């Protein structure tokens, strides 16, 4: 049986499709404009984001002190100083043992290079000293030819380090002011907004703050798990500097991808120069296994439970953030996805219709049972 299309329904469907397409195009344009503005103001936004993350990490202690009667400024100052002491202590815990054993590590590097030359000169490679010397000369010539690009890279690296220091200092100052005046922000914001926005925006901001706190805590749990497992593996293998390497692993967990690669590279290098290639390969295998478990099992489970996101959403968010904005995108992908979920859930609550109360019906009592 043939079906004749209705011209009225077809025109109505086309009009709805055109309207939805136009609205979607407008949303995409506004999103692009917002991202462009974000990029233009990134030098200010990035320290603010770092300060927010640090504030969520240090706010519980500040809240505890304020509830014990401490003035806001004194509580914020104390927590800020404690944070700087802990951060400096972590750096010292990593740097001091490494510096004290730097001579042994340097000797190990030289011995490792000598062993590598002896291995290369024997079967099956049979590379002679003349060939090795020629290779070093060729490498030196290439380095001399590319000295200009190397200088440019060094200058860029120095500029990046300077920008990082400025961002860190600004973030610490912003963290202090957020710890001191943070509770007064939402009431002030409510007074500045008209109508219903005075209720909606502070509510979403409060929920977003709780979400950021869950993100920082879950990331700390993941870093602690990595540090314990990798540190235990290094201790079993007999690699020196186990405690500094574990601390480095914990700190590096807050920087996705690159942090894990850097911490793993340092651990494998120390195992190579101190214990030899066999233990270095064992350490590499331990780090790969732990990182795979962390990236595919522990982190999605912990973050999905704390942030209310499915584990697959966490994985897709990290992948998308890394492809769009590199390391920073990977770092901010999960909290950004969680904040989007917070806004979406609030919008659904406001646009949803309240459930109608079911009609209460009184049924007759069973036979022989008093009503």
């Amino acid at each position: 049986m043939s079906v004749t299309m209705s011209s009225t329904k077809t025109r109505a469907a086309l009009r709805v499709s055109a309207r939805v397409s136009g609205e979607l195009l407008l949303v995409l344009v506004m999103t692009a404009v917002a991202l462009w503005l974000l990029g233009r103001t990134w030098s200010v936004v990035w320290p603010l984001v770092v300060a927010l993350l640090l504030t969520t990490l240090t706010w519980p202690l500040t809240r505890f002190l304020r509830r014990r009667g401490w003035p806001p400024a004194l509580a914020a100052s104390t927590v800020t100083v404690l944070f700087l002491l802990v951060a400096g202590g972590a750096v010292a815990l990593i740097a001091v043992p490494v510096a004290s054993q730097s001579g042994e590590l340097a000797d190990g590097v030289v011995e490792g290079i000598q062993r590598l030359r002896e291995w290369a000169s024997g079967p099956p490679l049979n590379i002679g000293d003349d060939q090795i010397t020629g290779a070093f000369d060729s490498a030196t010539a290439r380095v001399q030819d590319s000295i200009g690009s190397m200088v440019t890279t060094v200058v860029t690296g120095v500029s990046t380090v300077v920008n990082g220091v400025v961002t860190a200092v600004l973030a610490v100052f912003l963290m202090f002011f957020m710890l001191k005046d943070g509770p007064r922000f939402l009431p002030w914001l409510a007074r500045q907004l008209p109508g219903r926005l005075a209720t909606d925006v502070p509510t979403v901001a409060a929920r977003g703050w709780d979400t950021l706190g869950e993100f920082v805590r879950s990331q700390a749990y993941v870093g602690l798990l990595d540090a314990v497992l990798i540190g235990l593996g290094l201790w079993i293998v007999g690699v020196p500097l186990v405690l500094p390497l574990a601390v480095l692993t914990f700190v590096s967990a807050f920087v996705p991808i690159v942090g894990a690669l850097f911490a793993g590279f340092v651990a494998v290098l120390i195992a190579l120069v101190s214990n030899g290639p066999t233990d270095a390969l064992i350490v590499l295998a331990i780090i790969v296994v732990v990182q795979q478990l962390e990236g595919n099992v522990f982190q999605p489970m912990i973050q999905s439970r704390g942030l209310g996101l499915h584990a697959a959403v966490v994985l897709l968010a990290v992948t998308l953030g890394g492809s769009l904005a590199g390391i920073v995108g990977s770092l901010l992908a999960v909290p950004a996805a969680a904040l989007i979920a917070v806004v979406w859930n609030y919008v659904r609550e406001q646009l949803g219709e309240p459930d109608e109360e079911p009609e209460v019906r009184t049924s007759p009592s069973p036979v022989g049972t008093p009503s």
Side-chain angles (χ1 to χ4, degrees):
M1 179 178 180
S2 60
V3 178
T4 303
M5 294 183 63
S6 171
S7 58
T8 303
K9 292 183 179 180
T10 302
R11 286 194 297 269
L14 289 175
R15 284 195 296 269
V16 172
S17 300
R19 186 178 71 251
V20 172
S21 300
E23 293 173 350
L24 181 59
L25 182 61
L26 182 60
V27 170
L28 292 176
V29 170
M30 293 303 298
T31 303
V33 171
L35 293 176
W36 179 81
L37 292 175
L38 182 64
R40 300 291 294 180
T41 59
W42 187 246
S43 59
V44 176
V45 174
W46 177 232
L48 181 61
V49 171
V50 175
L52 279 173
L53 296 177
L54 295 179
T55 304
T56 57
L57 186 64
T58 54
W59 172 247
L61 179 57
T62 306
R63 180 178 55 195
F64 174 81
L65 295 178
R66 294 178 66 155
R67 288 177 177 176
R68 295 300 184 276
W70 288 45
L74 179 60
S77 302
T78 303
V79 173
T80 302
V81 172
L82 286 176
F83 170 78
L84 293 176
L85 290 177
V86 170
V91 173
L93 188 61
I94 297 173
V96 172
V98 173
S100 63
Q101 300 186 20
S102 59
E104 299 178 8
L105 293 177
D107 295 339
V109 171
V110 174
E111 183 180 356
I113 293 175
Q114 183 63 31
R115 289 181 180 179
L116 183 61
R117 291 189 62 176
E118 293 176 357
W119 173 78
S121 61
L125 298 180
N126 296 319
I127 300 177
D129 289 339
D130 295 338
Q131 293 173 294
I132 296 176
T133 304
F136 277 115
D137 292 340
S138 177
T140 303
R142 291 185 180 181
V143 170
Q144 291 175 349
D145 293 337
S146 59
I147 191 68
S149 60
M150 291 179 60
V151 171
T152 304
T153 304
V154 170
V155 171
T156 304
V158 171
S159 176
T160 303
V161 171
V162 172
N163 291 334
V165 171
V166 172
T167 299
V169 173
L170 184 57
V172 170
F173 277 101
L174 290 175
M175 181 189 74
F176 166 76
F177 288 114
M178 290 178 183
L179 291 175
K180 184 173 75 73
D181 301 325
R184 294 188 292 181
F185 174 72
L186 290 183
W188 173 84
L189 183 62
R191 292 193 299 268
Q192 309 306 313
L193 297 174
R196 185 172 176 176
L197 291 178
T199 301
D200 293 338
V201 174
T203 302
V204 173
R207 295 185 183 182
W209 171 260
D210 294 335
T211 299
L212 286 178
E214 291 292 340
F215 166 73
V216 173
R217 285 188 290 271
S218 63
Q219 202 70 18
Y221 295 151
V222 171
L224 181 61
L225 191 60
D226 283 351
V228 171
L229 293 179
I230 293 179
L232 183 61
L234 296 176
W235 177 73
I236 293 175
V237 175
V239 177
L241 304 175
V242 173
L243 184 58
L245 291 175
V247 174
L248 179 63
T249 302
F250 173 76
V251 175
S252 301
F254 289 91
V255 182
I257 303 175
V258 171
L261 291 176
F262 174 72
F265 172 77
V266 173
V268 172
L269 178 62
I270 291 178
L272 176 63
V273 300
S274 60
N275 293 31
T278 302
D279 287 350
L281 291 177
I282 296 175
V283 170
L284 178 62
I286 293 173
I287 292 174
V288 169
V289 171
V290 172
Q291 292 299 331
Q292 289 300 315
L293 289 175
E294 179 243 319
N296 298 298
V297 180
F298 299 140
Q299 187 172 16
M301 289 178 57
I302 294 175
Q303 289 188 343
S304 62
R305 185 176 302 174
L307 301 179
L309 297 175
H310 193 273
V313 175
V314 174
L315 288 175
L316 292 176
V318 172
T319 303
L320 179 61
S323 63
L324 293 178
I327 302 172
V328 176
S330 299
L331 176 63
L332 301 181
V334 176
L339 292 177
I340 292 174
V342 167
V343 175
W344 173 250
N345 290 332
Y346 184 79
V347 171
R348 286 183 57 191
E349 292 176 6
Q350 301 305 311
L351 297 181
E353 296 180 358
D355 297 333
E356 296 181 359
E357 296 183 0
E359 183 180 356
V360 180
R361 296 181 180 180
T362 57
S363 57
S365 301
V367 178
T369 304
S371 58

